[in-house]
Each structure stands twice: as C-alpha cells, then as structure tokens.
Amino acid sequence: MPPPPAKAAVTTVAPKPQKVQNAPKEAKPQPAPKAETPDFDSSQLSSQIASLEAELANEQQLYAKRPRIHRISAASTARDKGAWYKDEWRKKIERIGNLNYPDEARRQQIYGSLRLMVSINRDGSLYEVLVLESSGQPLLDQAAQRIVRLAAPFAPLTGDLADVDRLEIVRTWRFARGDRLSSN
C-alpha cells in the first residue's frame, strides 16, 4: 500500500507581546508655593518699635527704682550681713519692752509668743510692723507692735547695710513669766 501522503503542517506564529519596561515616572516639578510676603508699612513698623523700646525703658527704670530689701531672721548668724544691726536692734526692743510691759497682761498673767516682721527704712524710720504668727492673745499682739513703735526710730542703715533701702527683721517675741519680754 502506498504510504499515506504526508500531511503538510501549517504553523502560525502569533506575535509575542513585547514587554515594555516601566520607566520611572518623572515627577513634574511642582512650582513651590509662593509665600505671600507681608506688606510692611515702614512708618507703622518704626512706630511700633519705638513704642516697645519706650515700654522697655520704662520697665527698666521701674526695676532700678524698686526698693532693695534685705531680710534678717532669727536663724541669721553672727557673720550674716546686718547681724550686728539685728543684735543692737533686739537689745533696744527688749529694753523698751521690759520698761513698757503691758499692765493688763501683768495683771491677768497672760503669756505667749508671737512672730513679728519689722521693716525699717534706710534712715532708721519705721516702715511697717506686721504680726506674722499671732500669740492667740490680741493684747500681746498689740503690745508687741506698740513696743516696736515706741522704740522707733532706729539707727540708720550703714556699713554692710548701706546698699539696702529697707531692712526686714523677723523675730519671735516671748512675753514670759516674770513679766519679761525676750526674743530669740
């Protein structure tokens, strides 16, 4: 038998899709946002600066004029600024206080202690007397204030206190048995 005729094979080739390489997208340069430049009125700006400078100068003057206050308490030592003044002042108050011990407290045997703050001006005059801690007895509180007022005026602030405008002395005063006024 004759061999079968050879079949012709027909092949077709489909075009292959070509791969496209993705190129990185070039970012379009965006224009930078324009910052609005403020419009300055130079005369207005100059007046504001001058106003602020005047205000600063005024504040500096007020600061320089404030009183220089030095406070001495019972805890101050003999080497502290004004210790000599505090000791002399205490002796004077005790002397005046014992001479003017309140009669009513003596009669009623009222005793107690209180804390006073005494402010003295540079010239030795009394600026203020404040009761910081009451004795609980208005009679003693008022007597202590009265004694300080009787003892005024005090010595002017000199020596190491010459640069102080006001001296504040905080002390605890005791009205004790035996009708004695003392401080520590």
Side-chain angles (χ1 to χ4, degrees):
M1 267 191 147
K7 290 186 178 177
V10 176
T11 60
T12 58
V13 177
K16 286 186 181 179
Q18 292 182 349
K19 288 187 179 179
V20 177
Q21 286 190 351
N22 292 338
K25 289 184 180 179
E26 290 184 29
K28 291 183 180 178
Q30 298 217 358
K34 286 189 176 180
E36 291 185 29
T37 55
D39 293 333
F40 288 113
D41 180 8
S42 62
S43 64
Q44 181 184 12
L45 190 58
S46 294
S47 68
Q48 287 176 341
I49 290 172
S51 172
L52 288 173
E53 285 175 340
E55 187 177 329
L56 179 62
N58 187 36
E59 290 292 322
Q60 287 174 331
Q61 285 178 350
L62 290 175
Y63 184 77
K65 289 180 182 176
R66 81 192 190 300
R68 291 178 306 269
I69 299 173
H70 182 69
R71 181 171 287 170
I72 299 175
S73 67
S76 300
T77 66
R79 290 185 305 241
D80 286 345
K81 181 177 183 174
W84 59 271
Y85 189 92
K86 176 189 73 171
D87 193 47
E88 292 301 314
W89 179 85
R90 177 191 57 79
K91 288 176 186 174
K92 182 176 183 179
I93 295 291
E94 285 180 356
R95 186 176 66 252
I96 300 292
N98 287 318
L99 290 173
N100 294 282
Y101 196 89
D103 290 331
E104 190 66 25
R106 185 178 287 134
R107 277 196 297 276
Q108 295 182 22
Q109 295 184 341
I110 299 173
Y111 308 111
S113 61
L114 62 131
R115 282 180 60 85
L116 278 184
M117 183 182 74
V118 179
S119 294
I120 302 167
N121 291 319
R122 178 188 301 227
D123 64 357
S125 63
L126 189 61
Y127 178 77
E128 166 179 60
V129 181
L130 293 175
V131 176
L132 299 178
E133 291 177 29
S134 174
S135 65
Q137 299 289 333
L139 175 70
L140 296 181
D141 296 349
Q142 291 168 1
Q145 290 177 314
R146 187 176 130 267
I147 288 167
V148 170
R149 287 188 179 94
L150 285 172
F154 304 102
L157 304 180
T158 59
D160 60 348
L161 295 174
D163 63 335
V164 175
D165 293 324
R166 192 176 312 137
L167 180 65
E168 293 180 345
I169 302 175
V170 178
R171 301 286 299 191
T172 299
W173 295 96
R174 286 185 178 70
F175 290 90
R177 297 194 185 283
D179 302 331
R180 300 286 303 161
L181 175 67
S182 64
S183 173
N184 64 335

